Amino acid sequence: SFHRLIYWTIILNVLTFCISGNLFFKTEPEWYRDLLKYINWICAAIYCVEVAIKMVAYYPIFFRDRWNGFDFLVTAGTTVAVVLE
């Protein structure tokens, strides 16, 4: 289901943040940094699609639910970070 995709995306994104840095390598190879960057981009895109679908589905009342507002702010912040990267 759609919710499972979102849950697994969150787990994947958290794991990529956990393994970033010098956990496996003294200095990160370029391919490793690129892989983590692309995974982050894919997760951000999935989050944007999720928020867009929810905004359309719950159009007039989307922001009445505080979790939707929080989700929107986090996704907007992630999108800005990806664009500025």
Side-chain angles (χ1 to χ4, degrees):
S1 81
F2 184 70
H3 291 294
R4 284 189 180 158
L5 171 67
I6 299 305
Y7 295 146
W8 283 109
T9 303
I10 292 168
I11 291 168
L12 175 65
N13 204 3
V14 168
L15 289 175
T16 58
F17 284 124
C18 289
I19 65 172
S20 64
N22 298 332
L23 182 63
F24 296 113
F25 305 101
K26 287 185 180 182
T27 58
E28 289 181 337
E30 187 175 343
W31 67 266
Y32 184 72
R33 278 181 277 140
D34 288 343
L35 176 66
L36 296 179
K37 177 174 62 173
Y38 296 140
I39 291 172
N40 189 38
W41 288 357
I42 291 167
C43 291
I46 291 171
Y47 297 147
C48 287
V49 169
E50 177 212 9
V51 167
I53 289 171
K54 285 172 66 176
M55 287 180 84
V56 169
Y58 299 114
Y59 166 63
I61 59 170
F62 177 79
F63 286 107
R64 288 185 191 166
D65 184 346
R66 292 178 192 258
W67 282 112
N68 287 340
F70 175 75
D71 197 20
F72 178 82
L73 286 175
V74 169
T75 303
T78 300
T79 304
V80 169
V82 166
V83 168
L84 294 178
E85 187 174 298

